[in-house]
């Protein structure tokens, strides 16, 4: 429920924002710039903030249920998403909003009456409470992120099964996106399986892998070398043409590592080296 | 100073490292092994490191040196039982152990040296 | 950072190098590092402790637990000696370079095994090396 007095106060804020636009906006940009510290260019920040400022003035006129408020919420939503992707913390993003209060307060006019002094104290106290509120929010977000990280880790372990193909031959079929962390888990799981099963051959099948980068390719190479140090041999199968192209373009040396077109070829290779002969069943 | 015992089984010398070796003990072992290869005319040396938690450049170099020495004396050296974490660390460290043959465990190491009949492996049961 | 839990080990003999390895293994286990990460930091510590002994003429190691503030634990080890120092740091960190009779993998190899590595040395002023390994 809005009273007449509130409406008048809103009008006064909007009027003040318009009149001192350059000062308030300049100060707002400066406060945000101090938090983001060069991760966004000054120019970008100024353009972005100017847009928010115009919307904020309209919100001051129309109140929190007007069309401008919806528009401002939308703009801040977009801003938060892009900042989150750039790796900003929730506090750093929220400061973009709270800082307008500070900027406006610094540009308030008026004498040094008791009322003014009390108001100033209230603003300072409000800033402290904002910080504390942000702190609880930040802590909550960090706790959620830990939960997500833990889940990602357990998914990682689930997504790298090492299967036994034959006595002494194991395989790990890799599917999906290979990042550095996952490749490392694969490497450790595979090597441990070699020990546990006494297998001297391992096939790393990357048929289901869409792309590899330098780091992932290096991890695969290290796996092969580590297996050799342990007394086992790794065969890499299913290298797709695009990946072969990437490997060559990146200048990664696969050296004397055995590669085969398909998992079946790799199994054939390992069987042959283990001295297993498979015969076709003849009809008589 | 603790000395690692060198066992002789037929014409194979067997060393099993069970303790955290300090550098001088590593050098002593290297010397003992060279002496024993000459004295016994062994044709194979097996170093079992199943119990070893880390292999740094010093121990790694000892493996390579023993392998070179034994090759000169017409014997072959095989390092068996390297743990995955140790292998990964060695690769990261940049040590390739060139010239050292390896096997997953003692049994497979013996088979590489042509010692059969101690225990039939999967290949022999086929 | 508090001093609680920091272990200081003098390095004056080959047995001390083994003692450093054991202290680091214990600390790495307590900080819940993965088996592979434990092996890496103990191996790095072994290389650096040997350097302190052979090239630095002895010194000490200081092993302590650290927290990243984001819930990640790790361990930090400082190796300090009052030896002749390292004249050319870039060269010393190159694979294959050695002033002794090692493989020249000590410094450069140890650096690859840890997450953070800092080296402070000047001719005649001793050497201080600090390494950190974080849990995943």
């Amino acid at each position: 429920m809005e009273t007449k007095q509130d409406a008048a106060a809103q009008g006064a804020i909007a009027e003040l924002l318009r009149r001192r636009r350059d000062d308030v906006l300049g100060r707002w940009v400066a406060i945000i710039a101090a938090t983001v510290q060069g991760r966004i260019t000054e120019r970008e920040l100024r353009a972005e903030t100017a847009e928010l400022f115009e919307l904020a003035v309209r919100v001051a006129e129309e109140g929190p249920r007007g069309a401008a408020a919806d528009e401002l919420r939308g703009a801040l939503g977009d801003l938060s998403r892009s900042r989150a992707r750039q790796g900003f913390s929730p506090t750093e993003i929220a400061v973009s909003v709270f800082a307008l209060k500070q900027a406006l307060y610094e540009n308030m006019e008026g004498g040094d009456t008791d009322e003014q002094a009390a108001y100033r104290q209230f603003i300072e106290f409000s800033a402290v409470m904002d910080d504390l509120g942000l702190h609880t929010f930040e802590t909550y977000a960090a706790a959620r992120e830990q939960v997500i990280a833990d889940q990602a880790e357990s998914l990682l372990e689930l997504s790298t099964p090492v299967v036994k193909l034959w006595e002494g031959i194991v395989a790990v079929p890799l599917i999906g996106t290979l990042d550095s962390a996952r490749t490392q888990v694969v490497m450790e799981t595979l090597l441990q399986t070699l020990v546990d099963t006494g297998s001297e051959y391992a096939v790393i099948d990357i048929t289901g892998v869409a792309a590899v980068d330098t780091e992932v390719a290096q991890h695969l190479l290290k796996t092969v070398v580590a297996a050799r140090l342990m007394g086992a041999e790794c065969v890499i199968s299913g290298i797709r043409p695009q990946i072969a192209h990437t490997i060559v373009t990146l200048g990664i040396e696969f050296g004397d590592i055995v590669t085969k077109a398909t998992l079946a070829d790799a199994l054939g290779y390992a069987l042959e080296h283990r001295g297993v002969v498979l015969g076709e069943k003849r009809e008589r | 100073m603790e000395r690692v015992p060198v066992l002789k089984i037929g014409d194979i010398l067997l060393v099993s490292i069970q303790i955290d070796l300090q550098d001088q003990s590593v050098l002593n072992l290297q010397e003992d092994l060279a002496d024993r290869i000459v004295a016994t005319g062994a044709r194979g040396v097996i170093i079992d490191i199943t119990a070893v938690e880390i292999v740094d450049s010093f121990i790694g170099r000892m493996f390579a040196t023993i392998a070179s020495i034994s090759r000169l004396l017409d014997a072959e050296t095989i390092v068996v039982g390297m743990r995955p974490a140790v292998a990964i660390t060695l690769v990261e460290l940049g040590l390739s152990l060139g010239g050292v043959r390896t096997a997953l465990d003692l049994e497979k190491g013996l088979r590489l040296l042509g010692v059969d009949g101690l225990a039939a492996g999967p290949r022999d049961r086929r | 950072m508090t001093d609680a839990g920091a272990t200081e080990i003098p390095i004056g003999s080959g047995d001390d190098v083994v003692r450093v390895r054991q202290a680091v293994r214990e600390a790495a286990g307590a900080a819940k590092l993965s088996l592979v990460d434990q092996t890496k930091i103990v191996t790095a510590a072994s290389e650096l402790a040997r350097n302190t002994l052979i090239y630095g003429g002895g010194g000490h190691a200081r092993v302590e637990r650290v927290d990243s503030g984001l819930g990640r634990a790790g361990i930090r080890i400082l190796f300090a000696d009052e030896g002749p120092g390292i004249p050319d740091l870039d060269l010393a960190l190159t694979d294959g370079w050695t002033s002794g009779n090692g493989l020249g993998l000590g410094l450069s190899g140890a650096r690859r095994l840890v997450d953070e590595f800092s080296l402070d040395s000047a001719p005649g002023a001793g050497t201080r090396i600090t390494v950190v390994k974080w849990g995943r």
Side-chain angles (χ1 to χ4, degrees):
Chain A
M1 194 74 75
E2 282 179 32
T3 63
K4 253 192 180 141
Q5 213 182 344
D6 286 342
Q10 268 172 17
I13 295 273
E15 200 270 330
L16 180 62
L17 284 172
R18 275 197 206 292
R19 190 151 40 81
R20 307 285 310 258
R21 180 186 185 277
D22 291 350
D23 291 336
V24 177
L25 179 58
R27 186 69 191 120
W28 195 12
V29 172
I31 298 173
I32 302 175
T35 7
V36 300
Q37 282 173 0
R39 281 173 289 176
I40 298 175
T41 63
E42 183 84 25
R43 195 189 197 169
E44 220 178 319
L45 191 60
R46 187 166 284 280
E48 204 171 75
T49 313
E51 208 175 297
L52 296 177
F53 187 83
E54 299 315 324
L55 286 168
V57 175
R58 282 177 52 206
V59 171
E61 279 167 347
E62 297 171 13
R65 275 172 289 277
D70 282 344
E71 233 177 287
L72 183 54
R73 262 190 286 274
L76 286 172
D78 291 343
L79 177 93
S80 307
R81 270 187 287 277
S82 90
R83 289 276 208 281
R85 284 193 198 105
Q86 287 166 292
F88 285 84
S89 76
T91 300
E92 287 167 330
I93 301 169
V95 158
S96 307
V97 180
F98 289 158
L100 177 58
K101 291 199 295 186
Q102 175 76 23
L104 176 61
Y105 170 64
E106 287 174 12
N107 281 283
M108 292 274 238
E109 301 138 332
D112 243 352
T113 62
D114 282 355
E115 210 177 312
Q116 287 282 346
Y119 186 60
R120 195 170 304 130
Q121 277 173 16
F122 172 73
I123 287 285
E124 275 156 19
F125 180 67
S126 162
V128 172
M129 292 313 284
D130 282 354
D131 276 351
L132 289 173
L134 279 176
H135 174 70
T136 63
F137 176 57
E138 189 84 37
T139 312
Y140 173 83
R144 289 293 303 170
E145 253 164 48
Q146 186 58 46
V147 170
I148 295 170
D150 290 348
Q151 285 170 342
E153 196 173 321
S154 49
L155 267 181
L156 210 58
E157 279 155 22
L158 279 179
S159 66
T160 50
V162 181
V163 294
K164 181 174 166 182
L165 289 184
W166 204 273
E167 192 64 48
I169 306 171
V170 295
V172 52
L174 296 177
I175 292 164
T177 314
L178 272 190
D179 60 16
S180 179
R182 187 173 164 216
T183 316
Q184 220 165 328
V185 172
V186 173
M187 170 167 171
E188 289 164 24
T189 316
L190 178 64
L191 297 179
Q192 190 56 52
T193 312
L194 292 177
V195 176
D196 295 344
T197 61
S199 300
E200 289 173 297
Y201 289 89
V203 182
I204 303 174
D205 183 70
I206 58 170
T207 311
V209 174
V212 295
D213 59 16
T214 316
E215 214 174 329
V216 169
Q218 294 291 1
H219 276 308
L220 285 176
L221 281 181
K222 284 178 190 167
T223 312
V224 177
V225 178
R228 243 179 230 170
L229 281 177
M230 293 167 55
E233 191 176 356
C234 281
V235 182
I236 298 179
S237 69
I239 301 179
R240 301 207 286 185
Q242 304 96 298
I243 292 181
H245 191 250
T246 315
I247 290 171
V248 174
T249 315
L250 291 174
I252 297 160
E253 195 57 67
F254 259 54
D256 53 351
I257 290 168
V258 181
T259 55
K260 294 285 164 198
T262 66
L263 181 56
D265 292 340
L267 175 60
Y269 169 87
L271 285 173
E272 193 186 316
H273 278 248
R274 279 190 59 77
V276 178
V277 182
L278 297 178
E280 303 245 327
K281 194 173 175 184
R282 290 208 189 123
E283 305 254 343
R284 280 202 178 239
Chain B
M1 190 141 334
E2 293 179 84
R3 279 190 114 87
V4 181
V6 180
L7 308 177
K8 179 174 172 295
I9 310 166
D11 46 9
I12 309 275
L13 296 178
L14 175 64
V15 173
S16 182
I17 302 176
Q18 300 288 339
I19 51 162
D20 198 343
L21 291 180
Q22 70 127 300
D23 292 356
Q24 190 53 48
S25 307
V26 172
L27 293 177
N28 290 346
L29 174 60
Q30 188 173 308
E31 236 167 76
D32 288 355
L33 265 175
D35 290 349
R36 291 292 297 271
I37 296 171
V38 175
T40 60
R43 66 178 178 85
V45 176
I46 291 186
I47 305 173
D48 177 19
I49 58 166
T50 312
V52 173
E53 287 174 344
I54 71 144
V55 171
D56 62 9
S57 63
F58 199 84
I59 303 178
R61 188 159 55 122
M62 183 263 281
F63 295 157
T65 307
I66 290 177
S68 308
I69 293 174
S70 55
R71 211 171 302 121
L72 285 174
L73 300 170
D74 199 25
E76 186 159 26
T77 300
I78 297 172
V79 172
V80 305
M82 187 184 292
R83 300 180 177 192
V86 171
I88 291 169
T89 302
L90 276 180
V91 173
E92 211 72 55
L93 192 62
L95 214 61
S96 61
L97 295 190
V100 180
R101 290 187 77 183
T102 53
L104 282 175
D105 52 40
L106 181 56
E107 198 183 307
K108 291 186 171 65
L110 285 169
R111 212 182 306 138
L112 274 184
L113 288 174
V115 179
D116 268 326
L118 283 173
R123 192 189 306 216
D124 312 293
R125 265 203 316 259
R126 201 177 57 242
Chain C
M1 204 75 54
T2 56
D3 272 4
T7 316
E8 204 159 305
I9 302 147
I11 303 175
S13 72
D15 282 332
D16 290 335
V17 175
V18 174
R19 254 173 234 125
V20 171
R21 285 205 287 255
Q22 282 160 354
V24 171
R25 180 177 300 128
E26 218 165 275
K32 301 234 161 25
L33 263 58
S34 76
L35 184 60
V36 171
D37 287 338
Q38 284 186 36
T39 309
K40 283 182 180 174
I41 187 65
V42 175
T43 307
S46 181
E47 301 288 347
L48 296 173
R50 182 178 297 112
N51 278 358
T52 302
L53 178 65
I54 296 176
Y55 306 121
H60 72 271
R62 189 186 153 85
V63 185
E64 65 188 334
R65 168 130 177 220
V66 285
D67 274 292
S68 69
L70 292 165
R72 282 209 305 170
I75 66 166
R76 172 164 58 198
I77 319 167
L78 163 78
F79 296 88
D81 66 59
E82 306 298 325
I86 302 170
D88 186 340
L89 296 182
D90 287 339
L91 183 63
L93 285 166
T94 311
D95 267 351
W97 181 86
T98 174
S99 63
N101 57 358
L103 285 171
L105 287 170
L107 274 187
S108 57
R111 179 157 75 161
R112 279 193 294 270
L113 295 175
V114 297
D115 297 320
E116 289 168 32
F117 184 99
S118 72
L119 200 167
D120 183 12
S121 179
T127 303
R128 291 169 70 87
I129 295 177
T130 309
V131 296
V132 180
K133 186 87 188 166
W134 294 108
R136 276 183 220 163

